[in-house]
Amino acid sequence: MSIPLPSKPKIRLATVSLAGCFGCHMSFLDMDERILALAEIIELDFSPFTDIQTLGICDIGLVEGGVCNAENVHTLRAMRAACKVLVALGACAVNGGLPAMRNHLDIGDILSQVYDGRAESAHETVPDDPELPLLLDKVHPIHEVVLIDYVIPGCPPSGDAIHRVLCDLIAGRTPRLNHDQLHYD
Ligand code: SF4
């Protein structure tokens, strides 16, 4: 009588969007039917794809978006602590991207102009509800806050590039992107 071998545990994957637009997460879905094969070997943890709100120990973490507020810092540090391999996914995570265009402006001036100058809401002031995360002076790429293992550049990176990196990591290889999978827009 043969004894059934224990099945191999699935790779646990967490994904998060900090100061991002979810475009990188949408690009993940561009893998199309290849997602079905990945689903055989990957189990999603904390992720907008699942809406799971708790973060467990994971093999791989994908981080979209830069760091623009105190909550982003907390979430990113938690991802670093939980994920054996942490990957910066997309231009915003790699270099701050579009949100970092505010970095040459004073954050106080921006908030005053947006909230204090609205004619239709003369009594409206800059929101200061304690539940709102505190904005940082600058938007930071994620490597300025935690150690990052790999980056996938692009705005957004293609589904091909994300698939390639995930397959390499799952196979225990150092991820390598082909020239046509690398772009820096
Ligand atoms: Fe959105 Fe581009 Fe930033 Fe990804 S890199 S979060 S697609 S703006």
Side-chain angles (χ1 to χ4, degrees), residues 5-58:
L5 293 171
S7 57
K8 211 171 163 190
K10 287 189 169 185
I11 302 288
R12 290 195 70 80
L13 172 71
T15 79
V16 70
S17 178
L18 304 176
C21 72
F22 287 91
C24 291
H25 275 74
M26 291 300 105
S27 203
F28 186 106
L29 301 178
D30 286 341
M31 286 183 221
D32 300 327
E33 70 279 0
R34 288 172 293 179
I35 286 180
L36 298 176
L38 278 179
E40 297 290 322
I41 48 178
I42 278 181
E43 188 156 14
L44 278 171
D45 194 272
F46 179 72
S47 171
F49 292 133
T50 58
D51 210 23
I52 294 174
Q53 301 290 325
T54 54
L55 175 61
I57 298 300
C58 289

mmCIF file of all heavy atoms in Angstrom, residues 5-58:
data_model
loop_
_atom_site.group_PDB
_atom_site.id
_atom_site.type_symbol
_atom_site.label_atom_id
_atom_site.label_comp_id
_atom_site.label_asym_id
_atom_site.label_seq_id
_atom_site.Cartn_x
_atom_site.Cartn_y
_atom_site.Cartn_z
ATOM 1 N N LEU A 5 2.142 11.035 -0.323
ATOM 2 C CA LEU A 5 3.135 12.019 0.113
ATOM 3 C C LEU A 5 2.418 13.329 0.451
ATOM 4 O O LEU A 5 1.415 13.676 -0.182
ATOM 5 C CB LEU A 5 4.140 12.278 -1.010
ATOM 6 C CG LEU A 5 5.037 11.093 -1.350
ATOM 7 C CD1 LEU A 5 5.828 11.395 -2.617
ATOM 8 C CD2 LEU A 5 5.991 10.794 -0.201
ATOM 9 N N PRO A 6 2.921 14.038 1.470
ATOM 10 C CA PRO A 6 2.289 15.329 1.760
ATOM 11 C C PRO A 6 2.457 16.265 0.570
ATOM 12 O O PRO A 6 3.529 16.280 -0.050
ATOM 13 C CB PRO A 6 3.061 15.840 2.989
ATOM 14 C CG PRO A 6 4.314 15.044 3.050
ATOM 15 C CD PRO A 6 4.064 13.745 2.326
ATOM 16 N N SER A 7 1.386 17.002 0.217
ATOM 17 C CA SER A 7 1.508 17.904 -0.933
ATOM 18 C C SER A 7 2.408 19.078 -0.557
ATOM 19 O O SER A 7 2.458 19.500 0.599
ATOM 20 C CB SER A 7 0.132 18.395 -1.366
ATOM 21 O OG SER A 7 -0.481 19.027 -0.279
ATOM 22 N N LYS A 8 3.107 19.587 -1.592
ATOM 23 C CA LYS A 8 4.049 20.687 -1.363
ATOM 24 C C LYS A 8 3.261 21.933 -0.943
ATOM 25 O O LYS A 8 2.238 22.244 -1.566
ATOM 26 C CB LYS A 8 4.786 20.959 -2.670
ATOM 27 C CG LYS A 8 6.181 21.461 -2.501
ATOM 28 C CD LYS A 8 6.885 21.496 -3.832
ATOM 29 C CE LYS A 8 8.099 22.365 -3.705
ATOM 30 N NZ LYS A 8 8.717 22.639 -4.989
ATOM 31 N N PRO A 9 3.723 22.634 0.106
ATOM 32 C CA PRO A 9 2.973 23.836 0.480
ATOM 33 C C PRO A 9 3.028 24.879 -0.632
ATOM 34 O O PRO A 9 4.028 24.990 -1.342
ATOM 35 C CB PRO A 9 3.686 24.335 1.745
ATOM 36 C CG PRO A 9 4.977 23.628 1.806
ATOM 37 C CD PRO A 9 4.886 22.397 0.948
ATOM 38 N N LYS A 10 1.965 25.625 -0.762
ATOM 39 C CA LYS A 10 1.932 26.656 -1.795
ATOM 40 C C LYS A 10 2.803 27.842 -1.393
ATOM 41 O O LYS A 10 3.029 28.087 -0.204
ATOM 42 C CB LYS A 10 0.491 27.118 -2.017
ATOM 43 C CG LYS A 10 -0.362 26.093 -2.759
ATOM 44 C CD LYS A 10 -1.705 26.717 -3.134
ATOM 45 C CE LYS A 10 -2.447 25.818 -4.108
ATOM 46 N NZ LYS A 10 -3.694 26.421 -4.587
ATOM 47 N N ILE A 11 3.269 28.562 -2.394
ATOM 48 C CA ILE A 11 4.005 29.815 -2.167
ATOM 49 C C ILE A 11 3.002 30.864 -1.706
ATOM 50 O O ILE A 11 1.969 31.057 -2.347
ATOM 51 C CB ILE A 11 4.647 30.298 -3.492
ATOM 52 C CG1 ILE A 11 5.598 29.243 -4.071
ATOM 53 C CG2 ILE A 11 5.308 31.646 -3.329
ATOM 54 C CD1 ILE A 11 6.876 29.077 -3.337
ATOM 55 N N ARG A 12 3.318 31.518 -0.614
ATOM 56 C CA ARG A 12 2.383 32.547 -0.120
ATOM 57 C C ARG A 12 2.824 33.913 -0.656
ATOM 58 O O ARG A 12 3.983 34.314 -0.525
ATOM 59 C CB ARG A 12 2.340 32.558 1.409
ATOM 60 C CG ARG A 12 1.665 31.323 1.975
ATOM 61 C CD ARG A 12 1.294 31.498 3.435
ATOM 62 N NE ARG A 12 0.199 32.441 3.627
ATOM 63 C CZ ARG A 12 -1.091 32.133 3.459
ATOM 64 N NH1 ARG A 12 -1.440 30.923 3.098
ATOM 65 N NH2 ARG A 12 -2.026 33.046 3.666
ATOM 66 N N LEU A 13 1.869 34.609 -1.255
ATOM 67 C CA LEU A 13 2.141 35.888 -1.908
ATOM 68 C C LEU A 13 1.259 36.978 -1.301
ATOM 69 O O LEU A 13 0.041 36.816 -1.205
ATOM 70 C CB LEU A 13 1.830 35.777 -3.412
ATOM 71 C CG LEU A 13 1.872 37.080 -4.218
ATOM 72 C CD1 LEU A 13 3.304 37.590 -4.371
ATOM 73 C CD2 LEU A 13 1.247 36.889 -5.596
ATOM 74 N N ALA A 14 1.900 38.069 -0.885
ATOM 75 C CA ALA A 14 1.154 39.250 -0.432
ATOM 76 C C ALA A 14 1.389 40.370 -1.435
ATOM 77 O O ALA A 14 2.479 40.479 -2.005
ATOM 78 C CB ALA A 14 1.618 39.681 0.960
ATOM 79 N N THR A 15 0.375 41.191 -1.673
ATOM 80 C CA THR A 15 0.555 42.353 -2.546
ATOM 81 C C THR A 15 -0.104 43.554 -1.871
ATOM 82 O O THR A 15 -1.099 43.397 -1.152
ATOM 83 C CB THR A 15 -0.075 42.147 -3.949
ATOM 84 O OG1 THR A 15 -1.485 42.355 -3.891
ATOM 85 C CG2 THR A 15 0.216 40.768 -4.508
ATOM 86 N N VAL A 16 0.459 44.728 -2.126
ATOM 87 C CA VAL A 16 -0.121 45.927 -1.508
ATOM 88 C C VAL A 16 0.076 47.117 -2.438
ATOM 89 O O VAL A 16 1.025 47.147 -3.221
ATOM 90 C CB VAL A 16 0.545 46.188 -0.125
ATOM 91 C CG1 VAL A 16 1.990 46.651 -0.270
ATOM 92 C CG2 VAL A 16 -0.245 47.190 0.695
ATOM 93 N N SER A 17 -0.841 48.064 -2.347
ATOM 94 C CA SER A 17 -0.672 49.335 -3.044
ATOM 95 C C SER A 17 -0.553 50.433 -1.996
ATOM 96 O O SER A 17 -1.456 50.620 -1.176
ATOM 97 C CB SER A 17 -1.869 49.617 -3.962
ATOM 98 O OG SER A 17 -1.701 50.868 -4.596
ATOM 99 N N LEU A 18 0.558 51.157 -2.017
ATOM 100 C CA LEU A 18 0.750 52.290 -1.095
ATOM 101 C C LEU A 18 0.278 53.548 -1.838
ATOM 102 O O LEU A 18 -0.902 53.648 -2.148
ATOM 103 C CB LEU A 18 2.218 52.361 -0.657
ATOM 104 C CG LEU A 18 2.789 51.076 -0.016
ATOM 105 C CD1 LEU A 18 4.266 51.224 0.290
ATOM 106 C CD2 LEU A 18 2.021 50.699 1.239
ATOM 107 N N ALA A 19 1.204 54.492 -2.129
ATOM 108 C CA ALA A 19 0.805 55.645 -2.938
ATOM 109 C C ALA A 19 0.901 55.228 -4.402
ATOM 110 O O ALA A 19 1.848 55.568 -5.110
ATOM 111 C CB ALA A 19 1.699 56.841 -2.643
ATOM 112 N N GLY A 20 -0.067 54.469 -4.840
ATOM 113 C CA GLY A 20 -0.125 53.995 -6.222
ATOM 114 C C GLY A 20 -1.543 54.122 -6.724
ATOM 115 O O GLY A 20 -2.443 54.530 -5.991
ATOM 116 N N CYS A 21 -1.747 53.750 -7.983
ATOM 117 C CA CYS A 21 -3.072 53.930 -8.599
ATOM 118 C C CYS A 21 -3.749 52.599 -8.881
ATOM 119 O O CYS A 21 -4.791 52.577 -9.526
ATOM 120 C CB CYS A 21 -2.926 54.709 -9.897
ATOM 121 S SG CYS A 21 -2.167 53.730 -11.217
ATOM 122 N N PHE A 22 -3.136 51.499 -8.415
ATOM 123 C CA PHE A 22 -3.612 50.137 -8.659
ATOM 124 C C PHE A 22 -3.379 49.691 -10.105
ATOM 125 O O PHE A 22 -3.781 48.601 -10.487
ATOM 126 C CB PHE A 22 -5.088 49.955 -8.259
ATOM 127 C CG PHE A 22 -5.275 49.917 -6.762
ATOM 128 C CD1 PHE A 22 -5.528 51.072 -6.063
ATOM 129 C CD2 PHE A 22 -5.159 48.727 -6.057
ATOM 130 C CE1 PHE A 22 -5.676 51.054 -4.684
ATOM 131 C CE2 PHE A 22 -5.308 48.705 -4.673
ATOM 132 C CZ PHE A 22 -5.562 49.863 -3.986
ATOM 133 N N GLY A 23 -2.734 50.565 -10.909
ATOM 134 C CA GLY A 23 -2.440 50.172 -12.294
ATOM 135 C C GLY A 23 -1.488 48.986 -12.354
ATOM 136 O O GLY A 23 -1.595 48.129 -13.237
ATOM 137 N N CYS A 24 -0.550 48.915 -11.417
ATOM 138 C CA CYS A 24 0.380 47.779 -11.399
ATOM 139 C C CYS A 24 -0.368 46.490 -11.030
ATOM 140 O O CYS A 24 -0.054 45.417 -11.547
ATOM 141 C CB CYS A 24 1.515 48.038 -10.410
ATOM 142 S SG CYS A 24 2.640 49.345 -10.928
ATOM 143 N N HIS A 25 -1.343 46.598 -10.138
ATOM 144 C CA HIS A 25 -2.162 45.417 -9.818
ATOM 145 C C HIS A 25 -2.989 44.995 -11.038
ATOM 146 O O HIS A 25 -3.164 43.812 -11.309
ATOM 147 C CB HIS A 25 -3.071 45.695 -8.620
ATOM 148 C CG HIS A 25 -2.402 45.453 -7.296
ATOM 149 N ND1 HIS A 25 -1.462 46.294 -6.772
ATOM 150 C CD2 HIS A 25 -2.523 44.427 -6.415
ATOM 151 C CE1 HIS A 25 -1.036 45.812 -5.609
ATOM 152 N NE2 HIS A 25 -1.663 44.676 -5.375
ATOM 153 N N MET A 26 -3.489 45.989 -11.778
ATOM 154 C CA MET A 26 -4.238 45.651 -12.996
ATOM 155 C C MET A 26 -3.324 44.949 -14.001
ATOM 156 O O MET A 26 -3.724 44.017 -14.688
ATOM 157 C CB MET A 26 -4.808 46.927 -13.642
ATOM 158 C CG MET A 26 -5.905 47.588 -12.857
ATOM 159 S SD MET A 26 -7.338 46.501 -12.617
ATOM 160 C CE MET A 26 -7.157 46.036 -10.918
ATOM 161 N N SER A 27 -2.077 45.391 -14.055
ATOM 162 C CA SER A 27 -1.125 44.769 -14.981
ATOM 163 C C SER A 27 -0.866 43.315 -14.594
ATOM 164 O O SER A 27 -0.646 42.463 -15.460
ATOM 165 C CB SER A 27 0.175 45.573 -14.973
ATOM 166 O OG SER A 27 0.893 45.364 -16.143
ATOM 167 N N PHE A 28 -0.864 43.039 -13.302
ATOM 168 C CA PHE A 28 -0.728 41.654 -12.823
ATOM 169 C C PHE A 28 -1.794 40.785 -13.508
ATOM 170 O O PHE A 28 -1.533 39.665 -13.945
ATOM 171 C CB PHE A 28 -0.912 41.646 -11.302
ATOM 172 C CG PHE A 28 -0.661 40.322 -10.631
ATOM 173 C CD1 PHE A 28 0.494 40.105 -9.888
ATOM 174 C CD2 PHE A 28 -1.580 39.287 -10.724
ATOM 175 C CE1 PHE A 28 0.720 38.887 -9.250
ATOM 176 C CE2 PHE A 28 -1.363 38.069 -10.094
ATOM 177 C CZ PHE A 28 -0.206 37.867 -9.353
ATOM 178 N N LEU A 29 -3.002 41.336 -13.618
ATOM 179 C CA LEU A 29 -4.100 40.560 -14.218
ATOM 180 C C LEU A 29 -3.906 40.367 -15.717
ATOM 181 O O LEU A 29 -4.555 39.507 -16.319
ATOM 182 C CB LEU A 29 -5.439 41.250 -13.929
ATOM 183 C CG LEU A 29 -5.773 41.426 -12.445
ATOM 184 C CD1 LEU A 29 -7.093 42.165 -12.285
ATOM 185 C CD2 LEU A 29 -5.839 40.076 -11.738
ATOM 186 N N ASP A 30 -3.009 41.174 -16.335
ATOM 187 C CA ASP A 30 -2.737 41.012 -17.768
ATOM 188 C C ASP A 30 -2.003 39.711 -18.083
ATOM 189 O O ASP A 30 -1.745 39.425 -19.252
ATOM 190 C CB ASP A 30 -1.911 42.196 -18.301
ATOM 191 C CG ASP A 30 -2.757 43.449 -18.440
ATOM 192 O OD1 ASP A 30 -3.998 43.325 -18.484
ATOM 193 O OD2 ASP A 30 -2.180 44.546 -18.498
ATOM 194 N N MET A 31 -1.626 38.977 -17.052
ATOM 195 C CA MET A 31 -1.048 37.646 -17.317
ATOM 196 C C MET A 31 -2.091 36.730 -17.939
ATOM 197 O O MET A 31 -1.778 35.664 -18.427
ATOM 198 C CB MET A 31 -0.599 36.996 -16.006
ATOM 199 C CG MET A 31 0.631 37.563 -15.412
ATOM 200 S SD MET A 31 0.985 36.577 -13.946
ATOM 201 C CE MET A 31 1.468 37.840 -12.841
ATOM 202 N N ASP A 32 -3.348 37.144 -17.871
ATOM 203 C CA ASP A 32 -4.454 36.366 -18.446
ATOM 204 C C ASP A 32 -4.463 34.925 -17.931
ATOM 205 O O ASP A 32 -4.348 34.710 -16.743
ATOM 206 C CB ASP A 32 -4.404 36.429 -19.987
ATOM 207 C CG ASP A 32 -4.530 37.871 -20.469
ATOM 208 O OD1 ASP A 32 -5.234 38.646 -19.805
ATOM 209 O OD2 ASP A 32 -3.911 38.214 -21.481
ATOM 210 N N GLU A 33 -4.515 33.959 -18.851
ATOM 211 C CA GLU A 33 -4.727 32.565 -18.424
ATOM 212 C C GLU A 33 -3.542 32.006 -17.646
ATOM 213 O O GLU A 33 -3.697 30.985 -16.963
ATOM 214 C CB GLU A 33 -5.055 31.652 -19.620
ATOM 215 C CG GLU A 33 -3.910 31.392 -20.574
ATOM 216 C CD GLU A 33 -3.703 32.529 -21.561
ATOM 217 O OE1 GLU A 33 -4.444 33.520 -21.500
ATOM 218 O OE2 GLU A 33 -2.765 32.409 -22.387
ATOM 219 N N ARG A 34 -2.395 32.671 -17.715
ATOM 220 C CA ARG A 34 -1.237 32.176 -16.943
ATOM 221 C C ARG A 34 -1.499 32.290 -15.433
ATOM 222 O O ARG A 34 -0.858 31.627 -14.636
ATOM 223 C CB ARG A 34 0.027 32.941 -17.335
ATOM 224 C CG ARG A 34 0.543 32.576 -18.721
ATOM 225 C CD ARG A 34 1.670 33.478 -19.145
ATOM 226 N NE ARG A 34 1.213 34.842 -19.358
ATOM 227 C CZ ARG A 34 1.989 35.863 -19.724
ATOM 228 N NH1 ARG A 34 3.274 35.658 -19.906
ATOM 229 N NH2 ARG A 34 1.506 37.067 -19.909
ATOM 230 N N ILE A 35 -2.449 33.135 -15.068
ATOM 231 C CA ILE A 35 -2.818 33.248 -13.648
ATOM 232 C C ILE A 35 -3.358 31.919 -13.128
ATOM 233 O O ILE A 35 -3.145 31.558 -11.968
ATOM 234 C CB ILE A 35 -3.868 34.369 -13.464
ATOM 235 C CG1 ILE A 35 -3.177 35.720 -13.617
ATOM 236 C CG2 ILE A 35 -4.531 34.288 -12.096
ATOM 237 C CD1 ILE A 35 -4.088 36.900 -13.463
ATOM 238 N N LEU A 36 -4.040 31.177 -14.004
ATOM 239 C CA LEU A 36 -4.619 29.906 -13.564
ATOM 240 C C LEU A 36 -3.520 28.936 -13.152
ATOM 241 O O LEU A 36 -3.637 28.224 -12.147
ATOM 242 C CB LEU A 36 -5.487 29.303 -14.678
ATOM 243 C CG LEU A 36 -6.688 30.165 -15.096
ATOM 244 C CD1 LEU A 36 -7.422 29.517 -16.263
ATOM 245 C CD2 LEU A 36 -7.626 30.374 -13.917
ATOM 246 N N ALA A 37 -2.434 28.912 -13.940
ATOM 247 C CA ALA A 37 -1.313 28.026 -13.591
ATOM 248 C C ALA A 37 -0.649 28.503 -12.298
ATOM 249 O O ALA A 37 -0.284 27.692 -11.435
ATOM 250 C CB ALA A 37 -0.304 27.997 -14.736
ATOM 251 N N LEU A 38 -0.518 29.831 -12.162
ATOM 252 C CA LEU A 38 0.090 30.360 -10.935
ATOM 253 C C LEU A 38 -0.767 30.033 -9.710
ATOM 254 O O LEU A 38 -0.251 29.746 -8.628
ATOM 255 C CB LEU A 38 0.270 31.880 -11.031
ATOM 256 C CG LEU A 38 1.503 32.401 -11.766
ATOM 257 C CD1 LEU A 38 1.488 33.911 -11.767
ATOM 258 C CD2 LEU A 38 2.793 31.888 -11.136
ATOM 259 N N ALA A 39 -2.080 30.061 -9.913
ATOM 260 C CA ALA A 39 -2.995 29.803 -8.778
ATOM 261 C C ALA A 39 -2.828 28.386 -8.239
ATOM 262 O O ALA A 39 -3.193 28.120 -7.096
ATOM 263 C CB ALA A 39 -4.435 30.042 -9.212
ATOM 264 N N GLU A 40 -2.260 27.494 -9.061
ATOM 265 C CA GLU A 40 -2.026 26.119 -8.597
ATOM 266 C C GLU A 40 -0.899 26.062 -7.565
ATOM 267 O O GLU A 40 -0.834 25.153 -6.746
ATOM 268 C CB GLU A 40 -1.646 25.221 -9.785
ATOM 269 C CG GLU A 40 -2.718 25.086 -10.841
ATOM 270 C CD GLU A 40 -3.903 24.275 -10.357
ATOM 271 O OE1 GLU A 40 -3.680 23.288 -9.636
ATOM 272 O OE2 GLU A 40 -5.042 24.640 -10.681
ATOM 273 N N ILE A 41 0.009 27.020 -7.648
ATOM 274 C CA ILE A 41 1.188 26.956 -6.780
ATOM 275 C C ILE A 41 1.314 28.148 -5.830
ATOM 276 O O ILE A 41 2.191 28.178 -4.975
ATOM 277 C CB ILE A 41 2.483 26.843 -7.627
ATOM 278 C CG1 ILE A 41 2.498 27.884 -8.746
ATOM 279 C CG2 ILE A 41 2.644 25.444 -8.177
ATOM 280 C CD1 ILE A 41 3.765 27.863 -9.583
ATOM 281 N N ILE A 42 0.433 29.126 -6.006
ATOM 282 C CA ILE A 42 0.492 30.332 -5.164
ATOM 283 C C ILE A 42 -0.786 30.449 -4.347
ATOM 284 O O ILE A 42 -1.877 30.174 -4.841
ATOM 285 C CB ILE A 42 0.665 31.597 -6.051
ATOM 286 C CG1 ILE A 42 2.124 31.779 -6.421
ATOM 287 C CG2 ILE A 42 0.138 32.835 -5.357
ATOM 288 C CD1 ILE A 42 2.380 32.998 -7.269
ATOM 289 N N GLU A 43 -0.620 30.885 -3.119
ATOM 290 C CA GLU A 43 -1.786 31.212 -2.295
ATOM 291 C C GLU A 43 -1.678 32.679 -1.910
ATOM 292 O O GLU A 43 -0.631 33.117 -1.410
ATOM 293 C CB GLU A 43 -1.796 30.348 -1.040
ATOM 294 C CG GLU A 43 -3.063 30.511 -0.254
ATOM 295 C CD GLU A 43 -3.341 29.282 0.607
ATOM 296 O OE1 GLU A 43 -2.426 28.456 0.776
ATOM 297 O OE2 GLU A 43 -4.447 29.181 1.092
ATOM 298 N N LEU A 44 -2.727 33.425 -2.176
ATOM 299 C CA LEU A 44 -2.689 34.852 -1.857
ATOM 300 C C LEU A 44 -2.915 35.077 -0.370
ATOM 301 O O LEU A 44 -3.762 34.446 0.252
ATOM 302 C CB LEU A 44 -3.753 35.602 -2.659
ATOM 303 C CG LEU A 44 -3.383 35.968 -4.097
ATOM 304 C CD1 LEU A 44 -4.603 36.512 -4.817
ATOM 305 C CD2 LEU A 44 -2.253 36.981 -4.131
ATOM 306 N N ASP A 45 -2.134 35.983 0.176
ATOM 307 C CA ASP A 45 -2.291 36.409 1.568
ATOM 308 C C ASP A 45 -2.913 37.814 1.508
ATOM 309 O O ASP A 45 -3.807 38.062 0.700
ATOM 310 C CB ASP A 45 -0.902 36.379 2.239
ATOM 311 C CG ASP A 45 -0.958 36.471 3.744
ATOM 312 O OD1 ASP A 45 -0.962 37.604 4.271
ATOM 313 O OD2 ASP A 45 -1.014 35.432 4.416
ATOM 314 N N PHE A 46 -2.401 38.718 2.321
ATOM 315 C CA PHE A 46 -2.829 40.122 2.325
ATOM 316 C C PHE A 46 -2.734 40.696 0.908
ATOM 317 O O PHE A 46 -1.655 40.711 0.322
ATOM 318 C CB PHE A 46 -1.885 40.850 3.283
ATOM 319 C CG PHE A 46 -2.112 42.315 3.452
ATOM 320 C CD1 PHE A 46 -3.208 42.781 4.141
ATOM 321 C CD2 PHE A 46 -1.193 43.225 2.970
ATOM 322 C CE1 PHE A 46 -3.397 44.141 4.334
ATOM 323 C CE2 PHE A 46 -1.360 44.584 3.159
ATOM 324 C CZ PHE A 46 -2.468 45.035 3.842
ATOM 325 N N SER A 47 -3.846 41.147 0.373
ATOM 326 C CA SER A 47 -3.812 41.632 -1.014
ATOM 327 C C SER A 47 -5.139 42.282 -1.367
ATOM 328 O O SER A 47 -6.195 41.799 -0.951
ATOM 329 C CB SER A 47 -3.557 40.466 -1.974
ATOM 330 O OG SER A 47 -3.737 40.890 -3.316
ATOM 331 N N PRO A 48 -5.121 43.340 -2.213
ATOM 332 C CA PRO A 48 -6.388 43.882 -2.700
ATOM 333 C C PRO A 48 -7.138 42.889 -3.579
ATOM 334 O O PRO A 48 -8.342 43.015 -3.762
ATOM 335 C CB PRO A 48 -5.980 45.124 -3.501
ATOM 336 C CG PRO A 48 -4.516 45.189 -3.502
ATOM 337 C CD PRO A 48 -3.954 44.116 -2.634
ATOM 338 N N PHE A 49 -6.427 41.894 -4.129
ATOM 339 C CA PHE A 49 -7.123 40.900 -4.950
ATOM 340 C C PHE A 49 -8.091 40.064 -4.105
ATOM 341 O O PHE A 49 -9.107 39.598 -4.600
ATOM 342 C CB PHE A 49 -6.122 39.941 -5.608
ATOM 343 C CG PHE A 49 -5.257 40.585 -6.652
ATOM 344 C CD1 PHE A 49 -3.889 40.377 -6.658
ATOM 345 C CD2 PHE A 49 -5.806 41.393 -7.646
ATOM 346 C CE1 PHE A 49 -3.082 40.967 -7.622
ATOM 347 C CE2 PHE A 49 -5.005 41.998 -8.611
ATOM 348 C CZ PHE A 49 -3.633 41.775 -8.597
ATOM 349 N N THR A 50 -7.736 39.849 -2.851
ATOM 350 C CA THR A 50 -8.549 38.985 -1.990
ATOM 351 C C THR A 50 -9.312 39.774 -0.940
ATOM 352 O O THR A 50 -10.243 39.272 -0.344
ATOM 353 C CB THR A 50 -7.654 38.008 -1.214
ATOM 354 O OG1 THR A 50 -6.730 38.788 -0.443
ATOM 355 C CG2 THR A 50 -6.905 37.086 -2.154
ATOM 356 N N ASP A 51 -8.849 40.993 -0.682
ATOM 357 C CA ASP A 51 -9.380 41.811 0.412
ATOM 358 C C ASP A 51 -9.097 41.178 1.769
ATOM 359 O O ASP A 51 -9.775 41.488 2.750
ATOM 360 C CB ASP A 51 -10.881 42.064 0.245
ATOM 361 C CG ASP A 51 -11.274 43.411 0.866
ATOM 362 O OD1 ASP A 51 -10.389 44.276 1.000
ATOM 363 O OD2 ASP A 51 -12.452 43.578 1.230
ATOM 364 N N ILE A 52 -8.123 40.267 1.831
ATOM 365 C CA ILE A 52 -7.688 39.745 3.137
ATOM 366 C C ILE A 52 -6.954 40.879 3.855
ATOM 367 O O ILE A 52 -6.026 41.476 3.306
ATOM 368 C CB ILE A 52 -6.762 38.520 2.958
ATOM 369 C CG1 ILE A 52 -7.558 37.359 2.356
ATOM 370 C CG2 ILE A 52 -6.124 38.117 4.279
ATOM 371 C CD1 ILE A 52 -6.718 36.148 1.996
ATOM 372 N N GLN A 53 -7.378 41.179 5.070
ATOM 373 C CA GLN A 53 -6.871 42.362 5.765
ATOM 374 C C GLN A 53 -5.742 42.064 6.747
ATOM 375 O O GLN A 53 -5.207 42.977 7.360
ATOM 376 C CB GLN A 53 -8.020 43.039 6.529
ATOM 377 C CG GLN A 53 -9.175 43.475 5.650
ATOM 378 C CD GLN A 53 -8.821 44.640 4.741
ATOM 379 O OE1 GLN A 53 -8.055 45.512 5.122
ATOM 380 N NE2 GLN A 53 -9.347 44.635 3.534
ATOM 381 N N THR A 54 -5.424 40.780 6.935
ATOM 382 C CA THR A 54 -4.338 40.449 7.859
ATOM 383 C C THR A 54 -3.155 39.927 7.068
ATOM 384 O O THR A 54 -3.324 39.259 6.047
ATOM 385 C CB THR A 54 -4.783 39.377 8.872
ATOM 386 O OG1 THR A 54 -5.295 38.260 8.143
ATOM 387 C CG2 THR A 54 -5.848 39.916 9.802
ATOM 388 N N LEU A 55 -1.972 40.235 7.560
ATOM 389 C CA LEU A 55 -0.746 39.854 6.851
ATOM 390 C C LEU A 55 -0.038 38.750 7.622
ATOM 391 O O LEU A 55 0.325 38.935 8.789
ATOM 392 C CB LEU A 55 0.152 41.095 6.732
ATOM 393 C CG LEU A 55 1.540 40.914 6.138
ATOM 394 C CD1 LEU A 55 1.465 40.406 4.704
ATOM 395 C CD2 LEU A 55 2.294 42.246 6.169
ATOM 396 N N GLY A 56 0.137 37.595 6.955
ATOM 397 C CA GLY A 56 0.855 36.496 7.581
ATOM 398 C C GLY A 56 2.264 36.379 7.030
ATOM 399 O O GLY A 56 2.695 37.207 6.220
ATOM 400 N N ILE A 57 2.982 35.367 7.464
ATOM 401 C CA ILE A 57 4.326 35.139 6.931
ATOM 402 C C ILE A 57 4.208 34.714 5.466
ATOM 403 O O ILE A 57 3.441 33.802 5.143
ATOM 404 C CB ILE A 57 5.050 34.038 7.752
ATOM 405 C CG1 ILE A 57 5.200 34.485 9.200
ATOM 406 C CG2 ILE A 57 6.413 33.717 7.142
ATOM 407 C CD1 ILE A 57 6.011 35.764 9.382
ATOM 408 N N CYS A 58 4.935 35.391 4.588
ATOM 409 C CA CYS A 58 4.812 35.150 3.148
ATOM 410 C C CYS A 58 6.173 34.893 2.520
ATOM 411 O O CYS A 58 7.210 35.321 3.032
ATOM 412 C CB CYS A 58 4.173 36.361 2.471
ATOM 413 S SG CYS A 58 2.432 36.547 2.874
#
